[in-house]
Amino acid sequence: MRTAGVNLVTVGVFAWSSLEPRPGVFDLDWLARVLDLLHAHGIRAVLATPTASPPPWFSRLHPDALPVTADGVRLTHGSRDTYCPSAPAYLAAARAIAAKLLERFGTHPALAMWHVHNEYGAVCHCPHSTAAFRAWLRDRYRTLDALNDAWTTAFWSQGYGDWDEIETPRATRYLANPGQDLDFRRFCSDALLAAYVQQRDPIRAATPDVPVTTNFVFGAWVPVDHARWAREVDLVAIDDYPSDAGPGAQDQTAFAGDLARGWARGGPWLLMESAPNLIYTPGRMHAKEPGRMAAHSLAHVARGSRGVMFFQWRQPRGGAERFHSAVITHAGADTRVYREVVALGDKLRTMTPGVPDNRTAIVFDAHSWWALQGPGLPAPVDYLDEVRAAHKALGAADFVFPGEPVDRYRTVVVPALYLLDDAQADVLRRHVRDGGTLIVSYLSGVCDEHARVRLGGHPGALRDVLGIRVEEFHPLAGPVGLEFGATAVRENGMFWSERIHLEGAVAEATYVDGSLEGLPAITRHGKAWYLSTRLGPDGYARIMAEIVDTER
Ligand code: GAL
């Protein structure tokens, strides 16, 4: 580690059964030896609480704290993350083991940071979760009338007359209720956050000078609103594993780094996990070719990461992740991976993290992402892909989140912001009124915060500022041609198109084939642009370069 320039190590993630082998019987000495050893060599520790993996004795004692899937299957231990974040026994046990670590190691000189849990993201439908979901809904809606209205429960006879009739969105006969589905994701984010906070608060109180964080994991399955969570950690920390084995991995890395800086509101953040030698695509691992690890690592540092951390130091002999990425592999330290890490360590010694100063921001909204995974949409729209495509087309951008001001930006880009409440629509309206450029893509502003469609034409919340009215969606099975009026440049649109009426805007590009031939495809109303289809990467980059206000 010293040769490689390692100065920070995460320890204890998932170590619960080693730290508390029997209920109430603790063995912390081995961890003390590890921390002492690190300290003796000038290496500091990020000490994790092990609560992402309760030991077998725990689930035997508290079977009610095991998670239940949407199909009603009660999972058992034997993997990891087998807990319900709302089960009282789990919460109590998590507090207790965290308190033990705090008591023993809170003053250890190696302690640099606390790492609560690991990658919060577990979903549960057990009776504890159901009760907690009902309480969360009562708190949000106060009355059943308000809930019935928000969820449009008159449709298909779903009207609730008693809070106890409400279930989590478990397996049902046909399409579930979109409002219920969306609120459940919100609830999951808050339930997990409460599980984090109940560990964080005593730690903070006892060691106020030691930052507390948790590592953010990002993916469609994660019901966590990281922009909200970022306010509860002392340092935003992310895990980043690109899933594209080709050149797209670099775009994914840039996206993850810019997003992390957005969560950190431009401040410091940390790449807490990354893979030294592998890229994981679904079902297959790919060796990172020489140089790629450094490229990914430095891309994060350039975007503000205070360092580069890897999962994992040493590849284990057994266990589910025995073939996962590592600095010291099964082959030992005489490897090109280790040598590359040593070279990176050398480089990082003299580097300072980048401080990008972008004047373009993309609006990212976890809730719109969740809603666009909901039931009964006109076509499968991959929200993340929409945002990534916009980010790639821009090359670099900051991220902002609903509720945040945008006044430091000249251009605000709004891809597929399906849910838009009145307050956020006002923020965008004001941005244009104050002379800013706005670029909105299809499916934005269609619904209110309850995933109810705004009436009178799309994009309901932004019709006035965009000067258009969308009468009808035309999701595409194949490409459609469009042409820019001023330049006669032709492009192909994908995935989506719309029948647009101009109400003040002008058509910058027009559909040239298909059933919308001759109708507007891309419109402009002053400095407010609307893209009703998805351009290919080159066309998207070209139009962004033309529209984005680059004046400083
Ligand atoms: C991370 C996780 C680690 C390990 C790693 C494997 O998401 O936090 O514990 O599972 O993935 O690549």
Side-chain angles (χ1 to χ4, degrees):
M1 282 182 183
R2 280 195 320 191
T3 306
V6 171
N7 55 10
L8 194 65
V9 172
T10 303
V11 287
V13 182
F14 303 123
W16 200 337
S17 73
S18 304
L19 294 167
E20 191 180 2
R22 313 260 28 104
V25 177
F26 297 93
D27 178 6
L28 309 184
D29 293 345
W30 65 267
L31 185 51
R33 280 195 301 278
V34 171
L35 293 177
D36 292 349
L37 191 63
L38 290 171
H39 181 60
H41 291 272
I43 299 172
R44 306 203 68 205
V46 185
L47 181 53
T49 66
T51 52
S53 204
W57 60 254
F58 175 81
S59 50
R60 192 151 159 237
L61 269 180
H62 304 286
D64 62 299
L66 284 164
V68 172
T69 68
D71 289 327
V73 175
R74 172 86 71 180
L75 302 178
T76 185
H77 58 266
S79 177
R80 70 187 209 192
D81 293 288
T82 47
Y83 62 88
C84 161
S86 301
Y90 168 73
L91 292 169
R95 277 196 306 272
I97 185 73
K100 267 284 167 211
L101 292 175
L102 180 61
E103 175 192 298
R104 175 78 185 263
F105 301 117
T107 54
H108 196 286
L111 180 64
M113 186 155 50
W114 290 99
H115 175 304
V116 171
H117 202 87
N118 188 70
E119 297 192 336
Y120 278 101
V123 172
C124 178
H125 294 263
C126 79
H128 295 302
S129 288
T130 306
F133 182 44
R134 289 173 188 154
W136 184 92
L137 290 168
R138 282 183 102 120
D139 195 45
R140 179 172 171 83
Y141 292 107
R142 305 285 163 191
T143 68
L144 278 171
D145 282 351
L147 177 138
N148 283 317
D149 184 45
W151 289 6
T152 320
T153 55
F155 190 77
W156 284 350
S157 178
Q158 293 169 0
Y160 294 105
D162 191 316
W163 294 97
D164 287 344
E165 291 164 4
I166 302 172
E167 301 290 340
T168 62
R170 293 173 62 160
T172 186
R173 174 66 74 189
Y174 183 43
L175 301 175
N177 181 303
Q180 178 188 15
D181 199 69
L182 175 60
D183 272 343
F184 182 63
R185 301 271 191 130
R186 290 171 168 147
F187 156 75
C188 289
S189 183
D190 286 353
L192 290 166
L193 185 59
Y196 162 77
V197 166
Q198 66 133 19
Q199 288 194 50
R200 182 206 58 190
D201 283 353
I203 292 175
R204 237 186 210 170
T207 55
D209 298 331
V210 183
V212 189
T213 194
T214 184
N215 50 342
F216 289 177
V217 59
F218 189 69
W221 57 275
V222 180
V224 164
D225 179 351
H226 293 109
R228 161 78 189 89
W229 278 57
R231 285 185 251 140
E232 308 290 345
V233 296
D234 295 325
L235 179 73
V236 166
I238 66 157
D239 296 351
D240 184 41
Y241 295 96
S243 61
D244 187 328
Q250 201 64 17
D251 299 328
Q252 292 180 328
T253 300
F255 174 83
D258 282 341
L259 195 55
R261 194 180 61 259
W263 289 328
R265 299 175 167 204
W269 61 276
L270 181 64
L271 176 65
M272 179 72 96
E273 281 188 29
S274 60
N277 59 340
L278 294 170
I279 288 198
Y280 311 103
T281 59
R284 186 177 300 276
M285 299 180 186
H286 303 260
K288 284 188 180 175
E289 71 274 17
R292 188 184 272 251
M293 177 278 291
H296 286 184
S297 300
L298 295 176
H300 282 298
V301 175
R303 286 172 175 78
S305 177
R306 287 322 202 232
V308 175
M309 295 183 78
F310 295 115
F311 175 84
Q312 52 197 324
W313 177 251
R314 191 183 292 281
Q315 228 173 3
R317 299 183 66 185
E321 293 187 337
R322 64 206 175 287
F323 292 114
H324 272 236
S325 204
V327 177
I328 307 295
T329 62
H330 294 142
D334 183 12
T335 62
R336 63 108 190 162
V337 182
Y338 180 66
R339 282 186 284 277
E340 284 184 46
V341 171
V342 172
L344 178 72
D346 264 349
K347 212 172 257 159
L348 290 177
R349 261 184 249 276
T350 56
M351 284 183 80
T352 45
V355 191
D357 182 25
N358 294 312
R359 285 290 177 269
T360 300
I362 301 174
V363 179
F364 184 92
D365 178 27
H367 300 236
S368 287
W369 190 7
W370 298 336
L372 283 173
Q373 291 169 50
L377 290 155
V381 174
D382 183 339
Y383 176 76
L384 187 60
D385 190 54
E386 294 297 329
V387 182
R388 280 192 168 141
H391 181 263
K392 183 175 160 63
L394 290 163
D398 284 1
F399 282 96
V400 291
F401 308 93
E404 291 184 357
V406 297
D407 30 284
R408 67 176 300 268
Y409 299 102
R410 303 192 66 91
T411 305
V412 174
V413 180
V414 180
L417 190 63
Y418 180 62
L419 307 179
L420 193 53
D421 63 18
D422 294 343
Q424 181 63 17
D426 271 347
V427 168
L428 299 177
R429 206 170 279 125
R430 233 173 307 134
H431 169 71
V432 175
R433 198 182 308 140
D434 294 347
T437 298
L438 180 69
I439 306 173
V440 177
S441 82
Y442 56 88
L443 267 175
S444 295
V446 167
C447 292
D448 67 9
E449 62 272 32
H450 301 295
R452 289 178 307 202
V453 179
R454 289 171 178 274
L455 301 180
H458 314 298
L462 297 172
R463 272 198 314 264
D464 56 342
V465 69
L466 294 168
I468 56 165
R469 182 169 59 86
V470 173
E471 176 189 325
E472 210 177 11
F473 297 144
H474 284 240
L476 296 170
V480 66
L482 53 121
E483 186 176 299
F484 286 82
T487 54
V489 169
R490 284 206 173 207
E491 296 285 352
N492 274 338
M494 299 176 294
F495 307 142
W496 197 265
S497 60
E498 294 173 341
R499 180 177 295 274
I500 299 180
H501 295 273
L502 299 175
E503 297 191 340
V506 293
E508 292 283 342
T510 304
Y511 289 109
V512 290
D513 54 44
S515 59
L516 299 176
E517 189 176 345
L519 295 178
I522 295 177
T523 65
R524 182 177 60 78
H525 187 219
K527 291 173 108 176
W529 291 72
Y530 185 68
L531 317 179
S532 71
T533 188
R534 171 83 169 269
L535 299 176
D538 294 344
Y540 208 171
R542 195 160 40 237
I543 185 165
M544 286 295 200
E546 274 167 33
I547 307 176
V548 164
D549 188 345
T550 49
E551 280 170 45
R552 294 263 140 173

